[in-house]
Amino acid sequence: MIPDDDPSRSLTVANPDDPATTYISLVGNTYGMLITGEQTNGRYCLIDMTVPDGGGPPPHRHDFEEMFTILEGEIEFTFRGEKHVVGAGSSINIPANAPHNFRNASGAPARMLCMCTPAGQDEYFMRVGDVVAGRDAPPPDLSPDELAERRRLATELAATYRSELL
């Protein structure tokens, strides 16, 4: 049986150009929190990712599904040690628990949507990244000590958000 409608939940319209969208700078990338776990009752989150040439996270894994749709440019995904170049218009799914990372090796900026189910990655990014003014805002100029603190916090919180940095 399908449960009754929950009128306390509202429609969410996500627009990356909405000034209310929160953007986070993390490892040189800019992540827009389009739809949060709070808005989906924890079912999923949707993140708009702008990845400069050379950008991308370190190898990691987590116990939730992660799907990417490339909007602009191309991204090199390493999945279980094998590289896959994925261009605009394509989507990929990273199964839970699989080691992976991505890198923009294209020579130009790239942009993609990332959906995680269940949600939580959005909260993790909000806790370890730095809020910036928008998708095209430069990353903050962090000192070596501030960078070390961000890495320490990311490592410390990884298990809380069901992730492991490899």
Side-chain angles (χ1 to χ4, degrees):
M1 297 292 290
I2 296 175
D4 290 339
D5 179 28
D6 180 355
S8 70
R9 297 194 60 211
S10 62
L11 176 73
T12 300
V13 176
N15 179 342
D17 297 323
D18 184 335
T21 300
T22 301
Y23 280 91
I24 301 297
S25 178
L26 186 64
V27 296
N29 306 323
T30 304
Y31 298 158
M33 304 300 126
L34 295 182
I35 300 176
T36 66
E38 185 178 336
Q39 294 167 303
T40 67
N41 210 20
R43 288 177 172 86
Y44 71 93
C45 63
L46 183 65
I47 303 166
D48 182 340
M49 298 181 156
T50 301
V51 185
D53 184 43
H60 61 281
R61 65 189 202 108
H62 31 68
D63 75 345
F64 52 84
E65 298 287 309
E66 191 172 36
M67 183 182 74
F68 297 90
T69 298
I70 311 304
L71 301 175
E72 300 169 11
E74 65 181 31
I75 298 286
E76 178 184 275
F77 286 87
T78 301
F79 174 74
R80 295 181 181 144
E82 188 176 329
K83 294 181 190 293
H84 304 266
V85 176
V86 183
S90 295
S91 295
I92 67 165
N93 185 72
I94 306 291
N97 306 312
H100 66 281
N101 68 295
F102 62 82
R103 184 169 179 273
N104 180 350
S106 70
R111 186 169 163 231
M112 60 186 170
L113 293 177
C114 173
M115 184 171 73
C116 299
T117 181
Q121 194 74 335
D122 54 325
E123 291 177 26
Y124 180 59
F125 290 161
M126 292 287 290
R127 291 190 64 188
V128 302
D130 294 284
V131 175
V132 293
R135 181 180 5 181
D136 298 322
D141 187 19
L142 301 175
S143 70
D145 286 344
E146 290 169 321
L147 286 170
E149 174 58 21
R150 301 303 187 280
R151 281 189 214 101
R152 184 201 63 75
L153 184 60
T155 301
E156 177 183 303
L157 292 175
T160 301
Y161 289 96
R162 303 166 34 208
S163 296
E164 177 183 23
L165 303 176
L166 302 174

